[in-house]
Amino acid sequence: MELRVLEKKEYESFVKNNPYKSHFLQSYDWGELAKEERGLTPYYLGLDNEGEIVGATLLLKKNLPLGLCYLYAPRGYVIDFKNKEMLDLFTEEIVKFAKRKKAIYVKIDPDIIWKKEDYKGEVTEVESKDKNIYNELLRLGYKHMGFTKNFETMQPRYTFRIDLKQSMEEIENHFSKTTKQRIAKSLKLKTKVEIGTGKDISTFYHLMMLTESRKDFISYGIDYYKTLYKLFNEDNKATLFLGKVNIKDSLEVLNSDLEEVNKKIEELPKENMSKSAKNKLKELTRQKENLEKEVDKYSTYLKEYGKEVTLSAHMILEYGDKAWVLYAGNHNILTETYVNYHTYYEHLKFCKERGLKIYDQFGTIGDLSKDNPRLGLHEFKRKFGGDYIEFMGEFDYVIKPFYYFAFTKLVPLYRNIVKKRKKKELQDEVKEK
């Protein structure tokens, strides 16, 4: 067997519908995106057994000073990790390749589940429950980077996944009561979700900036999203969902509800009211006051924002039989319309209708303490009833220990400086919009 560089067609043929591990982060398109927008060098490698590819991986090369580099296989490798002989041989060949490239280390974070809980919190079948794969990687010389709880790693260690092989009725039954109510309210207010085009990337980007400014994290420039959208729509599918509020339509709904409440109040007796009638009047009066406030508020919105405004923009990537909610940007106005919930609901149905098998919400936390600033994000995703997934984590295969030590200690300091600078630039850009 030999490890060789694969052409696009041969690489995708093996990876895209692989029975062991098929992930968009191992796709040819992701490698090209990393090259065009992040300055990384992608290598599409396959293990050739007399003309048959039996294992593959995308390796992303990050150049470092002194002619050195490190290599990263995002959610790789694409092999059967339970096959010890294959894992041994593939590792041996990857290490040889890495040494030729003067790599300090090779990082992997396999799409291998460490723990899985269903929507009831019950632990279900887990790929690595016997820890065999974990122990084999350690035996081979990989260094486990720890069971991190937040977003310290290259890719999230936790996510929520919805099994699309269930019926839509089953999926919706797993939604929390709050999620069902908010979707219903959003539908009642006549919010709508449309599929966008490349022309809507600027709207998507603006909402991403607003979200990042609120959540205190930094993403990418607009060119990154344009390139991603273009690349994935040439070979696979990147779909942009736009959640919109037609304020005029919503105002009509509220006025109609107010008219109905006033009608019910008029129908109540004016004198000699029974106790139940008095209670009903009290409740209807409360509803009337709330609706009047809503009507006033939406009338102000109509003057300020116009007839229609886009509040949510989500990008969904498909690869093989799976879909990922990769990016989601949301406005900080009109949150009471719950357009974000409606948008999630629509692209979940969309993925189900397309015959996909897995819907991945791509990223949550393991630290569920009340003071975690990302707990709100976790709770939002949890309420859609998916399986709570914990991955096995990152492993580094160290090739040059001295340089590895220097790089892993000094670079984080540099990244913190860059992060602070980018955060300030983002805040300045948002202010200018």
Side-chain angles (χ1 to χ4, degrees):
M1 296 190 190
E2 66 169 347
L3 190 72
R4 63 179 177 86
V5 175
L6 303 181
E7 295 299 321
K8 179 177 179 178
K9 185 176 181 180
E10 188 178 21
Y11 178 82
E12 283 288 280
S13 176
F14 180 83
V15 173
K16 190 169 186 178
N17 300 301
N18 191 274
Y20 303 119
K21 297 293 160 194
S22 172
H23 201 289
F24 82 92
L25 288 170
Q26 277 288 299
S27 69
Y28 192 93
D29 289 337
W30 193 256
E32 294 304 292
L33 176 69
K35 179 173 68 175
E36 291 191 30
E37 294 299 328
R38 297 175 57 198
L40 304 179
T41 303
Y43 296 101
Y44 309 96
L45 305 175
L47 191 60
D48 190 317
N49 182 18
E50 297 182 351
E52 179 187 3
I53 303 302
V54 294
T57 191
L58 164 65
L59 281 183
L60 297 175
K61 176 187 173 186
K62 171 67 175 179
N63 289 323
L64 301 172
L66 305 176
L68 301 171
C69 70
Y70 73 83
L71 299 169
Y72 172 46
R75 289 290 187 248
Y77 310 120
V78 186
I79 61 172
D80 179 3
F81 278 86
K82 294 179 181 178
N83 185 329
K84 292 182 181 180
E85 182 181 351
M86 172 60 68
L87 183 56
D88 282 17
L89 181 58
F90 203 83
T91 295
E92 181 182 341
E93 292 299 315
I94 289 294
V95 171
K96 288 179 184 176
F97 179 86
K99 287 180 177 178
R100 292 197 297 270
K101 298 298 178 184
K102 296 184 179 181
I104 294 173
Y105 67 99
V106 178
K107 181 182 288 293
I108 65 172
D109 49 11
D111 182 18
I112 295 176
I113 297 172
W114 187 255
K115 184 180 179 182
K116 178 166 70 172
E117 295 180 12
D118 66 14
Y119 71 102
K120 295 178 182 177
E122 297 175 358
V123 177
T124 57
E125 183 182 352
V126 184
E127 268 183 291
S128 54
K129 62 182 178 182
D130 56 9
K131 298 188 178 180
N132 280 352
I133 297 172
Y134 176 85
N135 289 329
E136 282 301 306
L137 287 168
L138 295 183
R139 179 186 64 80
L140 286 168
Y142 291 90
K143 174 186 177 183
H144 188 241
M145 303 310 292
F147 294 101
T148 55
K149 295 293 185 181
N150 291 292
F151 292 106
E152 303 95 332
T153 49
M154 302 285 273
Q155 307 302 333
R157 270 199 72 237
Y158 295 83
T159 192
F160 283 100
R161 282 181 173 176
I162 295 175
D163 180 2
L164 296 180
K165 296 189 291 295
Q166 303 173 91
S167 69
M168 199 62 211
E169 183 180 5
E170 286 177 295
I171 292 170
E172 289 182 37
N173 283 340
H174 296 166
F175 290 177
S176 72
K177 182 180 178 181
T178 302
T179 297
K180 291 176 183 177
Q181 290 172 339
R182 290 178 174 179
I183 291 171
K185 181 176 180 181
S186 192
L187 291 169
K188 179 179 173 60
L189 288 171
K190 295 186 179 180
T191 64
K192 59 184 179 180
V193 179
E194 299 176 347
I195 293 179
T197 68
K199 294 178 181 178
D200 297 302
I201 294 292
S202 58
T203 300
F204 165 79
Y205 177 63
H206 177 62
L207 292 173
M208 284 296 296
M209 283 201 305
L210 291 174
T211 302
E212 290 166 6
S213 180
R214 292 195 306 272
K215 303 297 183 182
D216 189 27
F217 68 92
I218 304 298
S219 190
Y220 306 99
I222 191 169
D223 289 342
Y224 171 90
Y225 297 110
K226 287 181 177 179
T227 304
L228 185 156
Y229 186 83
K230 176 178 176 290
L231 285 170
F232 270 82
N233 277 315
E234 287 175 353
D235 301 313
N236 299 288
K237 191 167 181 64
T239 309
L240 196 59
F241 288 83
L242 305 174
K244 301 181 178 183
V245 173
N246 186 306
I247 300 174
K248 188 177 180 181
D249 288 348
S250 297
L251 190 55
E252 286 177 1
V253 171
L254 293 169
N255 275 316
S256 176
D257 287 349
L258 180 58
E259 186 180 325
E260 185 66 25
V261 168
N262 283 327
K263 183 178 177 183
K264 288 179 180 179
I265 291 174
E266 286 295 320
E267 291 172 352
L268 289 173
K270 301 295 185 291
E271 299 177 354
N272 301 319
M273 294 179 72
S274 66
K275 185 177 180 180
S276 63
K278 288 179 180 178
N279 288 335
K280 190 171 184 181
L281 176 61
K282 184 178 179 181
E283 172 59 23
L284 287 170
T285 302
R286 185 189 66 80
Q287 291 180 20
K288 177 181 178 180
E289 290 172 352
N290 287 339
L291 282 166
E292 285 174 341
K293 289 179 183 177
E294 289 289 288
V295 167
D296 287 344
K297 183 165 61 175
Y298 276 72
S299 296
T300 302
Y301 287 155
L302 186 62
K303 292 176 183 177
E304 186 173 353
Y305 300 111
K307 182 179 177 182
E308 187 174 84
V309 59
T310 301
L311 299 181
S312 291
H314 301 176
M315 189 178 290
I316 314 300
L317 290 190
E318 296 176 38
Y319 190 71
D321 58 3
K322 304 177 187 69
W324 289 263
V325 187
L326 189 55
Y327 300 114
N330 300 290
H331 215 304
N332 53 3
I333 59 171
L334 292 162
T335 55
E336 68 273 22
T337 61
Y338 300 114
V339 175
N340 193 26
Y341 284 82
H342 186 193
T343 307
Y344 261 89
Y345 180 57
E346 292 299 330
H347 50 65
L348 176 55
K349 288 195 298 181
F350 175 87
C351 293
K352 170 68 179 171
E353 290 166 3
R354 284 182 57 79
L356 300 171
K357 294 179 181 178
I358 297 290
Y359 172 92
D360 191 318
Q361 290 176 280
F362 201 68
T364 186
I365 53 175
D367 170 16
L368 304 183
S369 56
K370 291 182 179 180
D371 59 349
N372 191 325
R374 291 190 172 92
L375 187 61
L377 171 70
H378 175 86
E379 288 300 303
F380 172 80
K381 294 182 177 182
R382 181 185 66 80
K383 289 177 181 178
F384 281 87
D387 292 323
Y388 183 32
I389 303 292
E390 177 184 359
F391 294 110
M392 194 161 58
E394 288 184 349
F395 293 81
D396 286 357
Y397 192 101
V398 180
I399 297 169
K400 297 180 183 292
F402 172 79
Y403 289 109
Y404 178 80
F405 175 80
F407 179 73
T408 54
K409 295 298 181 184
L410 296 177
V411 166
L413 295 174
Y414 170 74
R415 284 178 176 166
N416 282 335
I417 294 170
V418 171
K419 181 180 178 181
K420 289 178 181 177
R421 188 180 73 238
K422 285 188 175 181
K423 180 183 176 182
K424 186 179 184 305
E425 290 173 355
L426 173 65
Q427 290 171 339
D428 291 343
E429 189 171 352
V430 170
K431 288 177 183 177
E432 292 172 2
K433 290 289 182 178

